[in-house]
Amino acid sequence: MGTILDKLIKIELFTDYVWPWCYLSTVRVEKLKKSHNVKVKLVHFPLHPDTPIEGQSLKQMFGPGKDIDEMNRKMKALMENEGLAYNNRDMTYNSRLAQELGSWADTQLNGENIHNSIYESYFVHQKNIAEKQVLIDIAINLGFDELKINEVLENRTFEKQVDADWSKARNMGVTGVPTFVAGGAALVGAQPYEAIVDLINNAQNQN
C-alpha cells in the first residue's frame, strides 16, 4: 500500500480502444491507482489508423489463417478472470474520433470514466465507436452536456492533441499496446499486475 511519503509516480500508458489487451489492462490499472501513489496519463496510439469508418472484419484484418472463434474463446476466458464482460467480436473499427473524445474527457471533472465506457461499448455491446452518435450516447450517459460533445466531435477540437499523442508514440519507439512507461523504463503488453508494480517500484527507488 502506498503512503503519503511515497513520491508521486507518473505513468504514461499508450493504448487504443479497439485492442482487447488494452481493455484487459484496465482492471490492473485501477488496482494500481488504489494501492500506489501514481498518476496515469493515457497516451493514444494509432493501432489500425487506416480502418474505414464502417469498420473491417477481423477475418479481413488477420487473414484466413486466423481462427477468430478460438481467439474469442481465449479472450473471453481471460476477460472473465479479470471480472470484465466480453462478447465475441468479428469487427474492428476506426478509433480516431473516440480518442479525440477521450482526450477531451480527460480535461473534464471525472472525465476518465469515459475510457472504460468506450471499451465496453465496443467489446461488450459491439458498437461502432467510429460513429459520432455512438460516442455522443456514451458521453451523455456519463452526464456530459450534449451540445459540448457535439462541438468537440464536429469541430475536432482535440485533433491536435491526438496528433501529438501519435507523434509521441513514434518518437519514443512505441510499436505495441498497452505500453507502460515510468521512470524512463517501459513495459510492453498486458503484463501481470506484479510486473507493473515492479515498474513502479523501480521508478520510486530512483533518485
Side-chain angles (χ1 to χ4, degrees), residues 43-56:
V43 183
H44 296 286
F45 181 85
L47 187 64
H48 300 298
D50 297 325
T51 303
I53 299 302
E54 67 273 15
Q56 182 182 37

Side-chain angles (χ1 to χ4, degrees), residues 5-104:
L5 297 178
D6 291 338
K7 66 180 180 181
L8 177 68
I9 299 299
K10 296 180 180 179
I11 304 172
E12 289 186 313
L13 175 55
F14 292 81
T15 187
D16 194 311
Y17 294 124
V18 294
W19 195 234
W21 297 103
C22 294
Y23 177 40
L24 185 72
S25 294
T26 58
V27 173
R28 298 165 193 179
V29 170
E30 289 307 310
K31 184 178 178 181
L32 193 72
K33 289 178 180 178
K34 293 176 181 178
S35 60
H36 291 76
N37 189 15
V38 297
K39 180 177 178 60
V40 181
K41 169 74 167 62
L42 232 61
V43 183
H44 296 286
F45 181 85
L47 187 64
H48 300 298
D50 297 325
T51 303
I53 299 302
E54 67 273 15
Q56 182 182 37
S57 74
L58 296 186
K59 287 185 178 180
Q60 286 178 301
M61 185 174 72
F62 289 116
K66 186 72 171 181
D67 187 337
I68 303 300
D69 290 338
E70 178 63 15
M71 180 190 73
N72 275 317
R73 281 193 292 270
K74 290 180 177 178
M75 191 56 64
K76 187 175 180 66
L78 290 169
M79 295 293 181
E80 287 178 348
N81 285 338
E82 297 289 340
L84 291 171
Y86 178 88
N87 282 322
N88 291 347
R89 63 188 184 113
D90 57 10
M91 295 287 293
T92 188
Y93 299 107
N94 192 300
S95 61
R96 172 67 195 218
L97 201 58
Q99 292 182 3
E100 292 181 19
L101 182 64
S103 290
W104 167 77

Side-chain angles (χ1 to χ4, degrees), residues 82-141:
E82 297 289 340
L84 291 171
Y86 178 88
N87 282 322
N88 291 347
R89 63 188 184 113
D90 57 10
M91 295 287 293
T92 188
Y93 299 107
N94 192 300
S95 61
R96 172 67 195 218
L97 201 58
Q99 292 182 3
E100 292 181 19
L101 182 64
S103 290
W104 167 77
D106 277 338
T107 68
Q108 308 299 304
L109 181 65
N110 297 321
E112 67 275 6
N113 295 329
I114 205 168
H115 304 304
N116 283 345
S117 293
I118 294 173
Y119 280 123
E120 290 172 4
S121 182
Y122 173 49
F123 288 106
V124 181
H125 305 297
Q126 300 176 327
K127 299 287 188 180
N128 180 353
I129 59 170
E131 295 181 355
K132 289 180 182 177
Q133 191 57 53
V134 170
L135 297 174
I136 290 170
D137 290 344
I138 290 171
I140 288 175
N141 287 337

Side-chain angles (χ1 to χ4, degrees), residues 11-14 43 45 164-176 179-186 188:
I11 304 172
E12 289 186 313
L13 175 55
F14 292 81
V43 183
F45 181 85
D165 281 0
W166 288 16
S167 293
K168 173 175 266 192
R170 285 192 298 269
N171 293 337
M172 292 180 63
V174 175
T175 57
T179 292
F180 300 81
V181 177
V188 182

Side-chain angles (χ1 to χ4, degrees), residues 189-206:
Q191 297 286 342
Y193 177 72
E194 293 74 18
I196 306 173
V197 169
D198 286 343
L199 178 72
I200 300 308
N201 287 340
N202 289 337
Q204 183 73 50
N205 293 330
Q206 291 181 10

